[in-house]
Amino acid sequence: MKPTLLVLAAGMGSRYGGVKQIDEVGKHGECLLDFSTFDAKKSGYGKVVYIIRKDIEKDFRERLFDRVARNFNAEYVFQTQDALLTAEEAKIAESAGRKKPWGTIHAVLCAKEKINEPFAVINADDYYGRSGIETLGKYLASIENDCSEHAMVGYVLGKTMSRNGSVSRGVCETEGGYLKSIVENTKISYRSQDSDDIISELDGKKIPLSGKETVSMNLFGFSPKAFQRFEAYWDNFKKTSLPLPTAEALLPVAASDIIKYGEGKIKVFTSEENWFGMTYPEDKTVVKSEIAKKIESGYYPEKLWEK
């Protein structure tokens, strides 16, 4: 069974200052997401499903989707503010003045009806490298839909940092090749522009990190069985957090709950790839340069898609 690539592409891009999901970084107008999609196709995935906002649909189709769909089995779904909410729940959320999306678990659940096989999840604005996507794809192709052993690809923290500002990473604790816990660190940065010391601001404290920690970049792989836990997590989130204007239902937290409640395991693969991504406006120059190097080395063809 060929796995599906599920892409989280409905973010607001508040720090970037634009729709970074479809910003051009390749030599022929390709977005960063083109390269991850190409890697998935090359690695044996059967299709890609993008989760987007309705307001970017026209630009999304023109700048990315239509050319991908001519070369690969591709679909997209919308993440909307009222999706997966009852009328009363939507009223409560609206009264909170909420503007940002509900988070990555909400996005994944918006795509549930399109997923009938094991699937990988990625962020639209992160570059993962083909090795991680390929490793996860091989594992997902080997499991059944009711499998309770899921997977993730972890990255080395020091290889996922940005010099342009703080990053959010899930710091992982592993045991025997399996995930034990993830702690979301939403503000990890270098101590200063000239320093290689890494600091996490967590719960009001500044905690030094070595840079060697394994971190989650939201490169997860699940069987459809995981939707049971995701739905339970979302139901609990609605009970506790709908009135909070900035609360988000996060995929790493829900994934950790699979372990917490004894519903399965998450196998951890590791990647030595250097991350780069589109978090801040200054990142675009770095991304374009790194993509150009990969094209020059033959890692990618100069033109990704035939049509």
Side-chain angles (χ1 to χ4, degrees):
M1 187 183 307
K2 290 187 175 183
T4 287
L5 180 69
L6 184 61
V7 182
L8 307 176
M12 301 294 287
S14 55
R15 290 180 292 182
Y16 188 77
V19 188
K20 57 186 176 180
Q21 301 94 314
I22 49 178
D23 209 351
E24 297 179 3
V25 297
K27 293 189 175 182
H28 295 275
E30 296 93 346
C31 316
L32 186 57
L33 189 47
D34 275 287
F35 295 91
S36 292
T37 304
F38 180 86
D39 286 341
K41 182 177 185 293
K42 196 172 181 67
S43 299
Y45 287 71
K47 70 175 180 179
V48 58
V49 178
Y50 302 103
I51 306 165
I52 67 168
R53 306 193 314 268
K54 282 186 176 180
D55 63 294
I56 69 169
E57 181 182 16
K58 182 176 182 295
D59 288 340
F60 173 77
R61 291 194 66 106
E62 290 176 353
R63 297 189 196 178
L64 173 78
F65 182 80
D66 288 347
R67 67 169 169 267
V68 170
R70 289 192 294 268
N71 292 273
F72 193 29
N73 183 5
E75 300 180 76
Y76 63 88
V77 298
F78 297 117
Q79 182 182 15
T80 62
Q81 292 296 84
D82 59 352
L84 311 179
L85 297 177
T86 65
E88 182 60 30
E89 289 167 343
K91 184 177 180 181
I92 293 172
E94 185 177 330
S95 68
R98 184 163 190 107
K99 296 180 180 179
K100 66 189 304 184
W102 288 108
T104 45
I105 271 295
H106 181 257
V108 169
L109 288 173
C110 285
K112 180 187 174 185
E113 298 307 314
K114 298 289 185 180
I115 307 295
N116 299 299
E117 56 283 309
F119 62 101
V121 182
I122 66 169
N123 296 330
D125 55 340
D126 288 314
Y127 178 82
Y128 294 92
R130 189 176 305 149
S131 62
I133 290 174
E134 182 178 31
T135 296
L136 197 54
K138 287 180 178 178
Y139 177 75
L140 293 172
S142 74
I143 66 174
E144 301 295 330
N145 279 357
D146 61 350
C147 181
S148 60
E149 190 165 301
H150 312 285
M152 65 166 282
V153 177
Y155 289 74
V156 179
L157 173 60
K159 295 185 177 184
T160 73
M161 297 293 294
S162 172
R163 286 287 178 185
N164 298 312
S166 66
V167 295
S168 178
R169 301 286 183 258
V171 179
C172 303
E173 183 182 358
T174 63
E175 185 175 63
Y178 288 88
L179 184 66
K180 192 173 180 182
S181 67
I182 301 178
V183 177
E184 278 298 300
N185 286 241
T186 58
K187 194 173 182 181
I188 301 177
S189 62
Y190 289 110
R191 189 183 297 274
S192 68
Q193 282 281 8
D194 302 324
S195 173
D196 289 328
D197 294 339
I198 299 173
I199 298 293
S200 173
E201 295 185 26
L202 187 64
D203 298 330
K205 300 178 181 178
K206 291 189 176 182
I207 302 170
L209 298 174
S210 70
K212 297 180 181 179
E213 292 84 359
T214 297
V215 295
S216 163
M217 298 292 297
N218 266 7
L219 180 49
F220 285 99
F222 301 102
S223 76
K225 186 178 178 68
F227 281 121
Q228 297 173 14
R229 171 46 49 193
F230 296 165
E231 288 173 332
Y233 172 83
W234 172 244
D235 287 342
N236 184 65
F237 177 90
K238 289 190 296 182
K239 292 175 184 176
T240 61
S241 303
L242 283 185
L244 306 177
T246 60
E248 293 184 78
L250 298 175
L251 178 59
V253 179
S256 294
D257 280 356
I258 291 174
I259 303 165
K260 178 180 177 181
Y261 292 104
E263 296 171 353
K265 297 180 177 181
I266 298 179
K267 187 176 181 63
V268 179
F269 299 100
T270 56
S271 173
E272 293 295 325
E273 292 261 11
N274 286 309
W275 167 90
F276 50 89
M278 308 278 278
T279 306
Y280 299 95
E282 298 84 357
D283 292 334
K284 183 175 179 178
T285 300
V286 176
V287 170
K288 291 183 74 171
S289 173
E290 292 297 324
I291 289 295
K293 290 177 186 176
K294 289 183 177 293
I295 292 172
E296 289 165 10
S297 71
Y299 191 89
Y300 292 114
E302 183 172 323
K303 191 171 184 181
L304 285 183
W305 308 110
E306 296 177 2
K307 304 173 185 177

